[in-house]
Amino acid sequence: MEVDVNGLAVVVTGAASGIGRATALAFAANGAKVFAVDVNEAGLAETRAMATNGNVVTHKADLIDPANCAPTIDAAVAQMGKLDALCNIAGVLRIEALEDVTPATWDFIYGVNVRAPFFLSQAAMPHLLESNGAIVNISSATAFRGYAYVTAYTSSKAAVAHMTKSLQAEVIKSGVRINAIAPGSVNTPMGTGGSGGAMDKFDMDLFVRMMQIRPGSPPESYTDIILYLASPQNQIIRGAVLNVDDGMDAT
Ligand SMILES: NC(=O)c1ccc[n+]([C@@H]2O[C@H](COP(=O)([O-])OP(=O)(O)OC[C@H]3O[C@@H](n4cnc5c(N)ncnc54)[C@H](O)[C@@H]3O)[C@@H](O)[C@H]2O)c1
């Protein structure tokens, strides 16, 4: 597939780590201007230093606060002069037994994983309508089956999948393309742990079903498809949620 992102102006959230960082660096290496957003300032500085051509500008924002979403897009457009693509990659996971999930945890997961991409998309849309641009969201292979101890997360990722389709439906007469990918297990801080609750409570027969059979993949495995979906070369994939999961959904 021919992919040309040279000169595109792109917002990437979650750019301090994992898939977001890999995506920001891939856009930058291919000539795009990247407005890299995250709550983790130190991680953002590392990402900026890793981009050797100066194409990454960083912006600290806590996206759980919806009041930070529109100003983030405004700052990106002020910096880059236009907006061609929004990649909603920031996300959070908590693995907890049913009785341990609090309303605060639920709101935390939905605030970052669902509300932030929605209000970023809302603020970005006038600019994307002007540029015939694109939105790329990150759902998850876990969105499409039942998995124990992650109901808030998996349902938030199912919401991302549906949001992708409904937003695309709303702008279907325009040139804007809105898609999501659904990764399997990715070797990032989120994918390799650190998000677990009281594991002694877990029934391991149920817990292991969340592990895919093939080994986890590096975050760089996902950047080609994200760049393609964000690029003007993609004109036929709209409102899709693509399984990019190394077979997790098939097994
Ligand atoms: N790792 C996996 O196995 C996997 C699988 C499927 C989908 N995903 C999804 O991929 C996306 C990226 O995850 P990752 O694996 O790279 O995780 P990661 O933890 O490496 O990166 C997530 C980034 O989001 C940022 N973030 C979290 N809360 C934020 C907030 N309130 N405001 C701004 N930024 C915030 C974090 O600081 C971090 O830099 C997520 O949406 C995740 O749900 C991951």
Side-chain angles (χ1 to χ4, degrees):
M1 288 190 287
E2 180 205 350
V3 182
D4 182 5
V5 298
N6 190 39
L8 295 188
V10 183
V11 169
V12 179
T13 74
S17 177
I19 302 171
R21 169 179 283 169
T23 299
L25 293 176
F27 272 116
N30 285 281
K33 298 286 181 206
V34 180
F35 195 78
V37 181
D38 207 289
V39 69
N40 174 355
E41 202 165 17
L44 279 179
E46 284 175 20
T47 303
R48 188 175 56 231
M50 292 164 83
T52 50
N53 57 9
N55 280 355
V56 173
V57 171
T58 59
H59 179 81
K60 183 187 175 190
D62 186 351
L63 297 173
I64 199 167
D65 184 347
N68 291 335
C69 291
T72 294
I73 297 297
D74 291 347
V77 173
Q79 173 70 35
M80 301 188 289
K82 62 169 183 166
L83 182 64
D84 295 300
L86 166 64
C87 297
N88 286 310
I89 301 181
V92 288
L93 164 72
R94 289 289 177 275
I95 305 172
E96 287 176 334
L98 174 60
E99 63 270 25
D100 292 337
V101 178
T102 64
T105 305
W106 185 274
D107 289 347
F108 172 65
I109 290 176
Y110 270 71
V112 177
N113 293 3
V114 186
R115 188 175 57 200
F118 178 82
F119 285 105
L120 287 165
S121 300
Q122 182 188 65
M125 196 58 74
H127 307 288
L128 297 176
L129 288 167
E130 204 171 306
S131 64
N132 288 321
I135 296 174
V136 183
N137 295 322
I138 310 290
S139 179
S140 167
T142 64
F144 311 115
R145 295 184 181 200
Y147 292 97
Y149 312 125
V150 282
T151 302
Y153 177 79
T154 55
S155 63
S156 79
K157 289 295 170 178
V160 169
H162 200 92
M163 178 167 68
T164 300
K165 291 180 180 290
S166 292
L167 285 181
Q168 179 68 84
E170 195 160 335
V171 295
I172 195 63
K173 292 184 176 177
S174 78
V176 176
R177 290 141 291 115
I178 306 175
N179 293 291
I181 64 164
S185 181
V186 192
N187 296 334
T188 66
M190 179 189 290
T192 54
S195 312
M199 286 191 61
D200 53 322
K201 286 189 173 180
F202 296 172
D203 177 334
M204 285 299 148
D205 291 341
L206 309 184
F207 185 61
V208 294
R209 292 187 61 251
M210 204 166 45
M211 312 300 163
Q212 70 176 34
I213 291 171
R214 292 177 59 76
S217 46
E220 291 75 19
S221 313
Y222 298 85
T223 57
D224 282 355
I225 186 69
I226 294 171
L227 264 61
Y228 178 70
L229 292 173
S231 77
Q233 281 74 48
N234 171 40
Q235 292 296 326
I236 195 64
I237 306 175
R238 290 175 198 254
V241 182
L242 303 179
N243 289 346
V244 187
D245 63 4
D246 212 9
M248 183 164 169
D249 193 53
T251 52

